[in-house]
Amino acid sequence: MPKHLHPLAILAKLITLFRQFIFPWIFVIWTQWQRPHLPLLILLGAVLLIGIASLDYALFTYELTDKAVIINHGIFVRQHEHIPYDRIQTIQQTQAWYMRPFGLIRLQIETSGHDKDRPEATLPVVAITVYDTLLKQRQRAQNKPTTVTAVATPKQPTNTYRIQPSDLNIYALTSQGIIPLAAAITWLQNRLQQLDNFMPARFTNGLNQLMHRSTFAGILTLIIFILLISLLISYCREIIRFYHFTLSRQENQLTTSRGLLSRDTVAVAVPKIQAVVLNQTLLRQFFHLTTLQVLLASNAASDESKRNLVLIPVLKRTQVWSEIQRFTNLKTARQPHLTTLGKSGYWRFIRNSLLLALLPILPCLIWLRPFGYFSLLLLPVAYGLGHYAARNTGFEIMAAEDILYLQYGKHALRRLFIVPRSKIQALSQRQTIWMAKRQLSHLNVFIRSGNGVEIVQLRYLTTAQSQQVAQWFEGFK
Amino acid sequence: MPQLQQLPPQIKTAWRISALLNAIWLLIPLVGVILAHYFWHWPFFLIIIVIIFVLVVPAVQLALVPYRYRFTGYAIKPEFVILQTGFIFRKQDTIPTARIQNVTLEQGPLLRWQKLQAVRIVTAATSHTIEGVTLDVADSLRATIVRFATEVQPDA
């Protein structure tokens, strides 16, 4: 029996419609200002919007049948979506603050089809019970082929992880949201220095010492002030995002939920996980903290920029492996002993990094003297980044479990991928004619992620090393 | 290292023609520079630079054809498809048949004239192309790949 959404959906639709047509609205009001028929126009617009929203509501129906979710919608182009339960990759529910008193949610259903970059189906405003029904139906559908094993294993207890307030604190404090702001500050600082240069020479000569000290102090205060503000902003943002973060596993169902203002819940089937990723920024590396992510074959995270699902925001190094074992099917996960690069690999990483640094340095040295000399400070930074990237490149093959560990470091971020052989979509070995002479080769591993691909690239391995991975992948012993 | 199969030799003709056709596109900036010289008095040496460019790019492409041919190959195994391309920038891709989502046969006018077909292999995350094989090989390739692909679990 097809059902309608909750009537609040009309209001939600109105809000989105209003947002979509905000510029026409402003245009009309701007041009018709002080004309007698302005109120009439506004009334007409309002009636039109309400009409569209109501029509949309009336024509939107959904149904949870035994085998699939069926959604009918569209005013001009009627669309009938038909999503079998066992094809659902992720179910995501978001509860905006105004939905909470009514026990309503917004549901997004994703499959692994990837011809469009939006969820397969969205139920904008429905009762929370719909989510539970959907979850149950999916579990039933996805467990069907393996009923035998399901009976054999006793029902597992629910595993739960809840973020500790102190952990959340550390996570927010070590977030690098301040870096773009810091860049803005240095830019501002340069501007101020130029201003100094434009001052007449005798003026600066006279007040030389005093002026210099005071501007310097002033700039320093300004920097510290902006830094503190930006730190505070990024801190609050992370707290709001991951407030009361919980992760729970019930048999093959992973559920994460988080958020202060709008509560975001994502449900994933464990066998659908493509890979587990351990992320460490340089800052968090100092504190031995790790962020645990999983790659999925659908867009799971609500923020478009981060399509990977955060499994646990912050973990101490000692807890990482036990938590991976607890929440994924990688029962034997452990700290890998990575095979790392040879000397020529190190040299190439550092060389590339230094060459890249010369791009901004050379113009600075030619045209921006004497301040341009400061750009030479980039060289040790570039050397450090190159060395960091080389040191963190490595892999380990766990032949018995058919699992590959891959690690690279890029832009001072270390990422360790744990991927089962069955989830690797393709593998590519690349080399230039010059690298061939030196027996070097890049290794690209392609893993499905979101609606696209995550390319894990290990650069400057020896040909023998990348061959070793390729042969394991191809199954020749 | 598995034994790779070479593409049919007709592909060399197709590559040479396409190198020349690409050169036609390069004529557009040449015409632009000549017009600019006449109307806005752009310096003459710009025309010479573009002419050199128009001559050198296809010449290099033509010269590299035999090398490109020698270093391009493919192998179809029950479990794997292996593709190799490139002379200066070399690349070897390994795609498990079990991961292949679909196989597309493509044929532009050049390939049709040479009675060849390009085979595009798509997985859930990547896309790979065999640049040209004879028609009967293309058909049997498709059949083989599809057969192996359907034998194993279809889910990503």
Side-chain angles (χ1 to χ4, degrees):
Chain A
M1 186 58 202
K3 279 188 282 192
H4 285 280
L5 300 171
H6 189 274
L8 200 69
I10 299 180
L11 192 69
K13 182 76 187 176
L14 262 181
I15 293 171
T16 46
L17 274 179
F18 189 75
R19 273 194 202 150
Q20 275 172 354
F21 294 106
I22 189 93
F23 288 113
W25 273 109
I26 291 175
F27 179 75
V28 167
I29 292 177
W30 186 263
T31 51
Q32 305 296 315
W33 192 247
Q34 287 181 339
R35 299 274 181 85
H37 51 261
L38 181 69
L40 191 74
L41 273 180
I42 290 179
L43 193 71
L44 210 70
V47 167
L48 192 70
L49 282 195
I50 292 172
I52 291 175
S54 319
L55 200 62
D56 191 68
Y57 171 79
L59 292 177
F60 192 115
T61 57
Y62 69 96
E63 191 178 358
L64 303 182
T65 65
D66 287 342
K67 290 196 180 103
V69 189
I70 300 170
I71 295 171
N72 310 302
H73 64 102
I75 295 176
F76 295 110
V77 185
R78 290 292 285 165
Q79 291 187 18
H80 307 276
E81 315 254 14
H82 192 103
I83 305 169
Y85 293 120
D86 58 341
R87 290 289 147 150
I88 295 176
Q89 293 275 346
T90 51
I91 304 172
Q92 187 183 350
Q93 60 148 308
T94 323
Q95 190 172 38
W97 55 270
Y98 62 86
M99 295 180 180
R100 214 168 291 180
F102 303 98
L104 297 172
I105 50 168
R106 169 193 176 83
L107 262 186
Q108 279 164 279
I109 301 166
E110 300 240 20
T111 70
S112 68
H114 61 141
D115 54 336
K116 46 186 176 180
D117 214 16
R118 57 191 170 91
E120 254 70 29
T122 308
L123 299 174
V125 187
V126 288
I128 221 161
T129 47
V130 177
Y131 172 76
D132 298 328
T133 324
L134 198 59
L135 224 54
K136 251 179 235 146
Q137 290 279 23
R138 176 172 76 154
Q139 198 136 28
R140 203 173 49 89
Q142 288 179 345
N143 282 343
K144 211 179 277 169
T146 53
T147 23
V148 189
T149 49
V151 173
T153 50
K155 201 172 161 68
Q156 290 168 346
T158 311
N159 277 328
T160 317
Y161 164 88
R162 224 176 288 277
I163 198 164
Q164 299 299 314
S166 59
D167 283 352
L168 181 58
N169 230 338
I170 296 170
Y171 178 75
L173 277 176
T174 52
S175 76
Q176 289 183 333
I178 54 163
I179 282 181
L181 280 153
I185 292 161
T186 40
W187 178 83
L188 197 76
Q189 189 188 356
N190 283 338
R191 279 293 115 104
L192 289 175
Q193 271 174 357
Q194 278 174 5
L195 208 70
D196 268 4
N197 288 340
F198 281 117
M199 295 213 184
R202 52 197 162 89
F203 184 67
T204 26
N205 280 342
L207 296 164
N208 198 349
Q209 225 127 42
L210 185 70
M211 266 305 285
H212 257 252
R213 206 170 291 153
S214 69
T215 39
F216 184 71
I219 290 167
L220 205 69
T221 333
L222 192 72
I223 290 170
I224 290 171
F225 180 72
I226 296 177
L227 217 80
L228 279 177
I229 291 283
S230 57
L231 197 71
L232 194 72
I233 290 172
S234 84
Y235 175 82
C236 291
R237 208 182 50 196
E238 294 301 316
I239 294 273
I240 289 169
R241 257 180 70 192
F242 286 104
Y243 185 77
H244 274 192
F245 180 91
T246 52
L247 168 70
S248 64
R249 175 175 182 173
Q250 193 174 25
E251 293 182 44
N252 264 342
Q253 186 87 37
L254 271 186
T255 312
T256 74
S257 101
R258 62 181 175 84
L260 177 66
L261 294 179
S262 88
R263 196 93 185 123
D264 229 337
T265 306
V266 180
V268 188
V270 177
K272 304 266 184 193
I273 291 176
Q274 306 289 310
V276 176
V277 193
L278 279 68
N279 285 329
Q280 281 186 301
T281 56
L282 197 57
L283 190 61
R284 290 196 181 125
Q285 239 164 292
F286 280 127
F287 295 100
H288 301 304
L289 298 173
T290 303
T291 303
L292 214 60
Q293 281 185 339
V294 290
L295 302 187
L296 301 168
S298 57
N299 283 336
S302 52
D303 20 7
E304 318 76 24
S305 55
K306 294 180 180 169
R307 55 189 178 187
N308 302 334
L309 180 69
V310 173
L311 211 55
I312 297 180
V314 61
L315 266 179
K316 299 201 176 59
R317 191 164 56 181
T318 47
Q319 302 170 315
V320 170
W321 303 103
S322 63
E323 294 294 350
I324 290 178
Q325 288 169 11
R326 209 148 71 95
F327 288 108
T328 68
N329 282 347
L330 301 165
K331 295 292 172 215
T332 51
R334 56 160 175 77
Q335 181 69 44
H337 309 290
L338 299 174
T339 312
T340 48
L341 292 186
K343 251 197 192 119
S344 55
Y346 266 78
W347 150 239
R348 265 144 228 267
F349 263 112
I350 293 168
R351 178 200 65 188
N352 290 357
S353 183
L354 289 178
L355 285 178
L356 199 68
L358 283 184
L359 280 183
I361 288 176
L362 285 182
C364 281
L365 286 187
I366 296 170
W367 289 298
L368 285 177
R369 277 173 296 178
F371 287 109
Y373 287 120
F374 281 111
S375 67
L376 285 175
L377 288 174
L378 277 179
L379 283 178
V381 174
Y383 179 90
L385 282 177
H387 191 270
Y388 177 87
R391 191 163 50 99
N392 285 307
T393 299
F395 68 93
E396 187 187 4
I397 300 167
M398 303 258 277
E401 291 88 19
D402 253 1
I403 289 172
L404 183 61
Y405 289 71
L406 298 159
Q407 184 178 276
Y408 66 79
K410 203 176 185 181
H411 312 312
L413 170 70
R414 177 160 81 187
R415 306 189 79 190
L416 172 65
F417 290 78
I418 307 171
V419 54
R421 190 165 77 155
S422 60
K423 299 296 186 194
I424 298 176
Q425 300 291 340
L427 196 123
S428 176
Q429 300 171 67
R430 290 159 197 228
Q431 56 183 185
T432 60
I433 193 165
W434 305 282
M435 286 167 68
K437 273 189 201 137
R438 302 263 167 227
Q439 296 282 308
L440 293 173
S441 163
H442 302 317
L443 178 74
N444 286 11
V445 176
F446 299 89
I447 308 169
R448 173 72 188 258
S449 161
N451 282 340
V453 58
E454 176 83 45
I455 304 171
V456 185
Q457 187 177 46
L458 304 190
R459 294 168 68 80
Y460 298 116
L461 298 176
T462 62
T463 312
Q465 286 173 335
S466 75
Q467 274 296 325
Q468 194 189 343
V469 178
Q471 280 177 7
W472 162 80
F473 184 56
E474 288 162 21
F476 313 137
K477 287 283 142 65
Chain B
M1 188 69 177
Q3 202 55 50
L4 291 178
Q5 228 167 329
Q6 289 209 309
L7 301 182
Q10 297 97 296
I11 193 78
K12 288 195 268 186
T13 320
W15 283 344
R16 289 197 179 107
I17 303 285
S18 84
L20 293 177
L21 287 178
N22 285 341
I24 291 179
W25 291 109
L26 289 174
L27 291 179
I28 293 173
L30 180 64
V31 171
V33 167
I34 291 173
L35 289 180
H37 175 68
Y38 278 107
F39 289 108
W40 299 301
H41 307 290
W42 280 22
F44 187 73
F45 71 86
L46 281 179
I47 297 183
I48 304 217
I49 289 176
V50 175
I51 286 177
I52 290 172
F53 204 64
V54 169
L55 292 178
V56 163
V57 169
V60 168
Q61 276 184 342
L62 285 177
L64 282 179
V65 161
Y67 295 99
R68 190 175 164 194
Y69 179 71
R70 186 136 52 90
F71 281 85
T72 303
Y74 66 95
I76 314 267
K77 310 254 159 185
E79 299 92 6
F80 286 91
V81 179
I82 293 171
L83 309 176
Q84 185 174 302
T85 55
F87 171 61
I88 292 175
F89 300 99
R90 293 169 194 183
K91 189 168 95 168
Q92 186 183 321
D93 294 348
T94 310
I95 310 130
T97 5
R99 301 277 92 76
I100 293 173
Q101 300 279 327
N102 59 63
V103 178
T104 315
L105 301 183
E106 290 169 335
Q107 195 181 40
L110 266 185
L111 290 182
R112 193 171 318 151
W113 171 49
Q114 289 296 320
K115 300 200 172 53
L116 296 175
Q117 230 162 5
V119 183
R120 196 151 55 88
I121 300 167
V122 180
T123 71
T126 58
S127 167
H128 314 261
T129 310
I130 306 177
E131 289 180 83
V133 289
T134 52
L135 300 185
D136 46 334
V137 173
D139 255 352
S140 73
L141 268 186
R142 182 185 53 183
T144 322
I145 291 171
V146 169
R147 194 176 69 239
F148 287 130
T150 43
E151 270 171 14
V152 269
Q153 236 212 335
D155 199 26

